[in-house]
Amino acid sequence: MSLRTILVPLLLPAALVAVLLALFGQPGGALAASLVTLAGSAIALGTSRQVSEQQLRALARKTLGRADGNSTMGPPSDRLDEFTSLEGAIDSLHSQLSARNAELIQGARTLTAVLDGMAEGIWVTDAEGTVVRHNDALAQMLHRPAGGIIGQRPLALIRNEALNDAVMRACREGESTRLELTLEGLFPRTLSLRVTPLGGDLPGSAAVFHDVTELRRLEKVRKDFVANVSHELRTPITAIRGYAETLQGGALNDPHVAPKMVDIIHRQSERLSELVEDLLELSRLEAREVHLQQARVPLAIASARAAEAVRIKAEGKSQHIELHVPPDLRAQGDERAIEQVLLNLLDNAVKYTPAGGRVDVYGTLEEGRCVVRVQDTGVGIEQKHLYRIFERFYRVDKGRSRDMGGTGLGLSIVKHLVGAMAGEIKVESQPNVGSTFTIFLPAATPEAATG
Ligand code: ADP
């Protein structure tokens, strides 16, 4: 419905009255006709305004209803055309805004998911350096509940002046900083981080935290390892070079000294070769270059072979080795690896047991796993050393181990091999009473065992 359709019916009768009065020779009635026209116009205007107000209110109600998510409205038939098109424009604007809003919500959700999926911790601050946003990884790194970070200043979260200064510099001077810091406490952590201004026309800063605790630990292990290897290699090399030079200097012609020196050189070169062998084996194991076979390994045979290899050494110390391994006990694993594990354990048992002692090997099946215990009546190991003896180059008594020809790598090789076969190793010991090393290996499956 247009304004014309309201005004024309109202004005037309008034105009007709004026024309008729003029035709019938009553020009004085023209004034009355004008008044009638005016009154008609006024009524029409009033009516039109009333209609407009009603429809504007209805449109406002509908628009507000739309904003609240309610799209229902009465039929459009009694509406003026102008309002119908205005309503159409508002509807189209609303649809565009709704689509844009949905896009923004989706974008914000994606950003949150990406931030929370990151391994690095992130916080964003406002221009004053107060944290206004962060991801899950940061809450975990700082061991804080998510709600305990927003609204905090850097110093309240991490007591580190350098970090606080970096955040303030980023906020005020737009400067980026890299730094590394250590968080003390129950779980010490080393964090490497970069603080940057947000950039563009956004005030504030962002900081990205990388947890480098494990990386730094590995770097230290590598440095210690290189230092240990150099030290271990230097000992026999120094001895070999020293005795060789003494021989060259004239001792070669001394029939009493020369054979002893040559003997020492020979022993030290053997030690060097054992060390290199063990190092190579360990490095292959750590690089997972050793491909272990899966076979049914009879543990009685593997134990007998290992015992045979140390028999001469044991006899030299008047030690008694006894095996108690049932012939049908079979482990699932690599035959050569299992033999090497047992040989290292038996070799240690003989090495660290005084003359006249004994070594027993027991084999059983416990809770579906093969269990082999190598028990000796040797010097034993104090409790405080027990958890470290599987580390590379860790020895309880360095002098004794070297004198016995140990490399300090045997038990780390054992631990790697057992682990690679999905097994585990444990140790119990009492100083001056003896030690028991126990290995657990998967048992060969019954069908395989009978096959
Ligand atoms: P090593 O070549 O020195 O024997 P291992 O890695 O085999 O190196 O053993 C590490 C250390 O554990 C040894 O130096 C020794 O102090 C201790 N150890 C290992 N086996 C025994 C044992 N059966 N009795 C007492 N001490 C042992």
Side-chain angles (χ1 to χ4, degrees), residues 348-349 351-352 376 379-381 389 394-397 401 406-412 435 437:
N348 277 351
K351 217 159 54 177
Y352 298 108
D376 65 53
V379 295
I381 305 163
I389 57 171
Y394 190 85
R395 292 139 155 159
V396 175
D397 183 336
S401 160
T407 60
L409 297 172
L411 286 182
S412 358
S435 312
F437 285 81

Side-chain angles (χ1 to χ4, degrees), residues 237-259:
I237 288 173
T238 308
I240 291 169
R241 191 197 289 151
Y243 285 108
E245 283 172 2
T246 313
L247 285 169
Q248 279 175 338
L252 197 58
N253 300 320
D254 183 336
H256 296 293
V257 185

Side-chain angles (χ1 to χ4, degrees), residues 344-378:
N344 282 9
L345 294 180
L346 275 164
D347 187 52
N348 277 351
V350 170
K351 217 159 54 177
Y352 298 108
T353 298
R358 61 177 294 139
V359 178
D360 288 281
V361 181
Y362 299 95
T364 52
L365 190 70
E366 290 173 17
E367 293 170 4
R369 290 197 296 178
C370 291
V371 183
V372 181
R373 294 190 169 83
V374 179
Q375 188 179 323
D376 65 53
T377 57

